[in-house]
Amino acid sequence: EADIYQTPRYLVIGTGKKITLECSQTMGHDKMYWYQQDPGMELHLIHYSYGVNSTEKGDLSSESTVSRIRTEHFPLTLESARPSHTSQYLCASSEYSRGSPLHFGNGTRLTVT
Amino acid sequence: GDSVTQMEGPVTLSEEAFLTINCTYTATGYPSLFWYVQYPGEGLQLLLKATKADDKGSNKGFEATYRKETTSFHLEKGSVQVSDSAVYFCALTSNSGNTPLVFGKGTRLSVIA
């Protein structure tokens, strides 16, 4: 019963294209996150936000940007896609209180050719 | 900084076997601890959590106890099923809750009939 939605589910694009991965949540959560997931499973934090007009870089933020204009929406943009961006991208959200768990979307699987 | 170390996989078990996936952490104060599960083709789901020392989280037959003295949060299940095949992630959030969740690298479990 995911209340956090990611589109597209799958995307194949050519090198150099600009793309935006969409993420929306209907739970009114203040905190939202983007993770990149290796084929080997490890999660890398790309960007996060603790509220409208607030964004922070994670460990793997280069070459991408995010915006948080509305509470429910947290899109991720790659200005110029490269084959090294081929991966799964997971969006998540949580309440602000300590100990609140993350709710994840089902991910966008991106292939850059 | 905060960190989580979990046992490397893959772990392969026969149905009805006992499961333990070890997780230890490094953090100041009293972090909140989580286990997440990721089924094929999906995002992560919260499996269980514990927010203070000696708390036991439990769900779907899985259990984990927050051990402050050994800085551990090992995941256990008495009798695994084929449907438990997934990737399991241990994670923590800081005492303040103001920093992003820190994940372990994940452990892949395969249960064979």
Side-chain angles (χ1 to χ4, degrees), chain A residues 66-99:
Chain A
V66 290
S67 63
R68 190 87 184 276
I69 298 172
R70 305 196 314 267
T71 297
E72 63 271 21
H73 192 215
F74 191 45
L76 174 74
T77 298
L78 295 176
E79 294 293 333
S80 179
R82 297 211 299 261
S84 61
H85 293 136
T86 295
S87 189
Q88 169 148 267
Y89 293 83
L90 295 172
C91 181
S93 71
S94 73
E95 294 178 0
Y96 209 94
S97 56
R98 176 183 176 274

Short mmCIF file of all heavy atoms in Angstrom, two decimals, chain A residues 66-99:
data_model
loop_
_atom_site.label_atom_id
_atom_site.label_comp_id
_atom_site.label_asym_id
_atom_site.label_seq_id
_atom_site.Cartn_x
_atom_site.Cartn_y
_atom_site.Cartn_z
N VAL A 66 18.01 18.56 -7.08
CA VAL A 66 16.65 18.31 -6.61
C VAL A 66 15.99 19.65 -6.30
O VAL A 66 16.66 20.67 -6.17
CB VAL A 66 16.61 17.43 -5.35
CG1 VAL A 66 17.02 16.01 -5.66
CG2 VAL A 66 17.48 18.03 -4.26
N SER A 67 14.68 19.62 -6.15
CA SER A 67 13.93 20.78 -5.71
C SER A 67 12.81 20.31 -4.80
O SER A 67 12.36 19.17 -4.88
CB SER A 67 13.35 21.55 -6.91
OG SER A 67 12.44 20.74 -7.61
N ARG A 68 12.38 21.20 -3.91
CA ARG A 68 11.28 20.88 -2.99
C ARG A 68 10.40 22.13 -2.88
O ARG A 68 10.47 22.90 -1.92
CB ARG A 68 11.84 20.48 -1.62
CG ARG A 68 10.79 19.89 -0.70
CD ARG A 68 10.60 18.43 -0.86
NE ARG A 68 9.55 17.90 -0.05
CZ ARG A 68 9.66 17.53 1.24
NH1 ARG A 68 10.82 17.68 1.85
NH2 ARG A 68 8.63 17.04 1.89
N ILE A 69 9.57 22.29 -3.86
CA ILE A 69 8.69 23.46 -3.91
C ILE A 69 7.38 23.17 -3.20
O ILE A 69 6.75 24.06 -2.63
CB ILE A 69 8.44 23.85 -5.38
CG1 ILE A 69 9.76 24.24 -6.04
CG2 ILE A 69 7.45 25.01 -5.47
CD1 ILE A 69 9.66 24.46 -7.53
N ARG A 70 7.00 21.89 -3.21
CA ARG A 70 5.80 21.48 -2.50
C ARG A 70 6.16 20.32 -1.57
O ARG A 70 7.04 19.53 -1.87
CB ARG A 70 4.71 21.03 -3.47
CG ARG A 70 4.33 22.05 -4.53
CD ARG A 70 3.00 21.70 -5.21
NE ARG A 70 2.88 20.32 -5.61
CZ ARG A 70 3.21 19.87 -6.83
NH1 ARG A 70 3.71 20.69 -7.71
NH2 ARG A 70 3.04 18.60 -7.14
N THR A 71 5.45 20.20 -0.47
CA THR A 71 5.75 19.14 0.50
C THR A 71 5.71 17.76 -0.14
O THR A 71 6.55 16.91 0.15
CB THR A 71 4.73 19.19 1.65
OG1 THR A 71 4.86 20.43 2.34
CG2 THR A 71 4.95 18.05 2.64
N GLU A 72 4.76 17.53 -1.02
CA GLU A 72 4.52 16.19 -1.52
C GLU A 72 5.40 15.79 -2.70
O GLU A 72 5.37 14.65 -3.12
CB GLU A 72 3.04 16.04 -1.92
CG GLU A 72 2.59 16.95 -3.05
CD GLU A 72 2.08 18.29 -2.58
OE1 GLU A 72 2.43 18.70 -1.44
OE2 GLU A 72 1.34 18.93 -3.34
N HIS A 73 6.20 16.70 -3.24
CA HIS A 73 6.87 16.46 -4.51
C HIS A 73 8.37 16.72 -4.38
O HIS A 73 8.78 17.78 -3.88
CB HIS A 73 6.25 17.38 -5.56
CG HIS A 73 6.63 17.05 -6.97
ND1 HIS A 73 6.81 18.03 -7.93
CD2 HIS A 73 6.84 15.86 -7.58
CE1 HIS A 73 7.14 17.45 -9.07
NE2 HIS A 73 7.16 16.14 -8.88
N PHE A 74 9.18 15.76 -4.86
CA PHE A 74 10.64 15.86 -4.69
C PHE A 74 11.32 15.27 -5.92
O PHE A 74 11.89 14.18 -5.89
CB PHE A 74 11.04 15.12 -3.41
CG PHE A 74 12.46 15.35 -2.95
CD1 PHE A 74 13.01 16.62 -2.92
CD2 PHE A 74 13.23 14.28 -2.50
CE1 PHE A 74 14.31 16.83 -2.47
CE2 PHE A 74 14.54 14.49 -2.04
CZ PHE A 74 15.07 15.75 -2.03
N PRO A 75 11.33 15.98 -7.04
CA PRO A 75 11.92 15.45 -8.26
C PRO A 75 13.45 15.52 -8.27
O PRO A 75 14.05 16.43 -7.68
CB PRO A 75 11.34 16.36 -9.35
CG PRO A 75 11.06 17.65 -8.63
CD PRO A 75 10.66 17.27 -7.23
N LEU A 76 14.06 14.55 -8.95
CA LEU A 76 15.51 14.46 -9.11
C LEU A 76 15.84 14.65 -10.58
O LEU A 76 15.28 13.97 -11.43
CB LEU A 76 16.00 13.10 -8.64
CG LEU A 76 17.47 12.76 -8.87
CD1 LEU A 76 18.36 13.53 -7.90
CD2 LEU A 76 17.72 11.26 -8.71
N THR A 77 16.77 15.56 -10.87
CA THR A 77 17.14 15.86 -12.25
C THR A 77 18.61 15.55 -12.50
O THR A 77 19.47 15.95 -11.72
CB THR A 77 16.87 17.33 -12.58
OG1 THR A 77 15.47 17.60 -12.45
CG2 THR A 77 17.31 17.67 -14.01
N LEU A 78 18.85 14.80 -13.59
CA LEU A 78 20.20 14.59 -14.11
C LEU A 78 20.35 15.48 -15.32
O LEU A 78 19.62 15.33 -16.30
CB LEU A 78 20.42 13.13 -14.49
CG LEU A 78 20.39 12.10 -13.37
CD1 LEU A 78 20.52 10.69 -13.93
CD2 LEU A 78 21.51 12.37 -12.38
N GLU A 79 21.28 16.42 -15.27
CA GLU A 79 21.41 17.41 -16.34
C GLU A 79 21.94 16.78 -17.62
O GLU A 79 21.57 17.18 -18.73
CB GLU A 79 22.33 18.54 -15.89
CG GLU A 79 21.77 19.39 -14.76
CD GLU A 79 20.54 20.19 -15.19
OE1 GLU A 79 20.40 20.51 -16.40
OE2 GLU A 79 19.70 20.50 -14.31
N SER A 80 22.84 15.81 -17.50
CA SER A 80 23.43 15.18 -18.67
C SER A 80 23.74 13.72 -18.32
O SER A 80 24.74 13.44 -17.67
CB SER A 80 24.70 15.91 -19.09
OG SER A 80 25.30 15.30 -20.21
N ALA A 81 22.86 12.83 -18.73
CA ALA A 81 22.98 11.44 -18.32
C ALA A 81 24.21 10.78 -18.94
O ALA A 81 24.58 11.05 -20.09
CB ALA A 81 21.73 10.68 -18.73
N ARG A 82 24.84 9.90 -18.14
CA ARG A 82 26.00 9.13 -18.59
C ARG A 82 25.77 7.67 -18.27
O ARG A 82 24.98 7.33 -17.36
CB ARG A 82 27.26 9.61 -17.87
CG ARG A 82 27.62 11.05 -18.16
CD ARG A 82 29.13 11.22 -18.09
NE ARG A 82 29.64 10.90 -16.76
CZ ARG A 82 29.91 11.82 -15.85
NH1 ARG A 82 29.69 13.09 -16.10
NH2 ARG A 82 30.40 11.47 -14.70
N PRO A 83 26.47 6.76 -18.97
CA PRO A 83 26.30 5.33 -18.67
C PRO A 83 26.55 5.00 -17.20
O PRO A 83 25.95 4.08 -16.65
CB PRO A 83 27.33 4.67 -19.59
CG PRO A 83 27.39 5.59 -20.77
CD PRO A 83 27.26 6.98 -20.20
N SER A 84 27.42 5.77 -16.53
CA SER A 84 27.68 5.53 -15.11
C SER A 84 26.48 5.82 -14.23
O SER A 84 26.44 5.43 -13.05
CB SER A 84 28.87 6.37 -14.63
OG SER A 84 28.59 7.75 -14.78
N HIS A 85 25.46 6.49 -14.79
CA HIS A 85 24.23 6.76 -14.03
C HIS A 85 23.25 5.58 -14.08
O HIS A 85 22.21 5.62 -13.41
CB HIS A 85 23.52 8.01 -14.57
CG HIS A 85 24.28 9.28 -14.32
ND1 HIS A 85 24.42 10.25 -15.29
CD2 HIS A 85 24.95 9.72 -13.23
CE1 HIS A 85 25.13 11.25 -14.79
NE2 HIS A 85 25.47 10.94 -13.55
N THR A 86 23.57 4.57 -14.87
CA THR A 86 22.71 3.40 -14.94
C THR A 86 22.63 2.76 -13.56
O THR A 86 23.63 2.34 -12.99
CB THR A 86 23.27 2.40 -15.96
OG1 THR A 86 23.20 2.98 -17.26
CG2 THR A 86 22.46 1.10 -15.94
N SER A 87 21.40 2.70 -13.02
CA SER A 87 21.23 2.23 -11.66
C SER A 87 19.74 2.24 -11.32
O SER A 87 18.90 2.60 -12.15
CB SER A 87 21.97 3.15 -10.69
OG SER A 87 21.98 2.61 -9.38
N GLN A 88 19.45 1.83 -10.09
CA GLN A 88 18.09 1.99 -9.57
C GLN A 88 18.08 3.18 -8.63
O GLN A 88 18.98 3.32 -7.80
CB GLN A 88 17.62 0.75 -8.84
CG GLN A 88 16.32 0.96 -8.05
CD GLN A 88 15.46 -0.26 -7.96
OE1 GLN A 88 14.55 -0.49 -8.77
NE2 GLN A 88 15.72 -1.06 -6.94
N TYR A 89 17.03 4.01 -8.75
CA TYR A 89 16.89 5.20 -7.92
C TYR A 89 15.65 5.04 -7.05
O TYR A 89 14.55 4.83 -7.54
CB TYR A 89 16.80 6.45 -8.79
CG TYR A 89 18.09 6.73 -9.51
CD1 TYR A 89 18.39 6.09 -10.70
CD2 TYR A 89 19.04 7.59 -8.96
CE1 TYR A 89 19.61 6.30 -11.34
CE2 TYR A 89 20.25 7.81 -9.59
CZ TYR A 89 20.53 7.16 -10.78
OH TYR A 89 21.73 7.37 -11.40
N LEU A 90 15.85 5.15 -5.74
CA LEU A 90 14.77 4.97 -4.78
C LEU A 90 14.48 6.28 -4.06
O LEU A 90 15.39 6.94 -3.58
CB LEU A 90 15.15 3.91 -3.74
CG LEU A 90 15.33 2.49 -4.24
CD1 LEU A 90 15.90 1.61 -3.15
CD2 LEU A 90 14.01 1.92 -4.73
N CYS A 91 13.21 6.62 -3.98
CA CYS A 91 12.76 7.79 -3.24
C CYS A 91 12.12 7.31 -1.94
O CYS A 91 11.50 6.24 -1.89
CB CYS A 91 11.76 8.57 -4.07
SG CYS A 91 11.13 10.07 -3.30
N ALA A 92 12.27 8.09 -0.88
CA ALA A 92 11.70 7.72 0.41
C ALA A 92 11.25 8.97 1.16
O ALA A 92 11.70 10.08 0.88
CB ALA A 92 12.73 6.96 1.26
N SER A 93 10.36 8.77 2.12
CA SER A 93 9.91 9.89 2.94
C SER A 93 9.68 9.41 4.37
O SER A 93 9.54 8.20 4.62
CB SER A 93 8.61 10.49 2.40
OG SER A 93 7.51 9.60 2.60
N SER A 94 9.66 10.35 5.30
CA SER A 94 9.37 10.00 6.69
C SER A 94 8.83 11.21 7.42
O SER A 94 9.00 12.36 6.98
CB SER A 94 10.63 9.48 7.41
OG SER A 94 11.53 10.54 7.67
N GLU A 95 8.20 10.94 8.56
CA GLU A 95 7.81 12.02 9.44
C GLU A 95 9.05 12.64 10.07
O GLU A 95 10.15 12.07 9.99
CB GLU A 95 6.89 11.47 10.54
CG GLU A 95 5.57 10.97 10.01
CD GLU A 95 4.71 10.40 11.13
OE1 GLU A 95 5.14 10.40 12.29
OE2 GLU A 95 3.60 9.93 10.82
N TYR A 96 8.86 13.78 10.73
CA TYR A 96 10.01 14.47 11.28
C TYR A 96 10.47 13.89 12.60
O TYR A 96 11.61 14.01 12.99
CB TYR A 96 9.70 15.96 11.47
CG TYR A 96 10.93 16.81 11.36
CD1 TYR A 96 11.28 17.40 10.15
CD2 TYR A 96 11.78 17.00 12.45
CE1 TYR A 96 12.43 18.16 10.03
CE2 TYR A 96 12.93 17.77 12.34
CZ TYR A 96 13.25 18.34 11.13
OH TYR A 96 14.38 19.08 11.00
N SER A 97 9.61 13.18 13.31
CA SER A 97 9.93 12.78 14.67
C SER A 97 11.00 11.69 14.71
O SER A 97 11.10 10.86 13.81
CB SER A 97 8.67 12.30 15.39
OG SER A 97 8.07 11.27 14.68
N ARG A 98 11.76 11.69 15.78
CA ARG A 98 12.83 10.72 15.98
C ARG A 98 12.27 9.31 15.96
O ARG A 98 11.23 9.04 16.55
CB ARG A 98 13.53 10.99 17.32
CG ARG A 98 14.60 9.99 17.68
CD ARG A 98 15.18 10.31 19.05
NE ARG A 98 16.15 9.32 19.46
CZ ARG A 98 15.87 8.19 20.07
NH1 ARG A 98 14.61 7.90 20.37
NH2 ARG A 98 16.80 7.33 20.40
N GLY A 99 12.96 8.43 15.27
CA GLY A 99 12.54 7.04 15.24
C GLY A 99 11.49 6.73 14.20
O GLY A 99 11.06 5.59 14.07
#
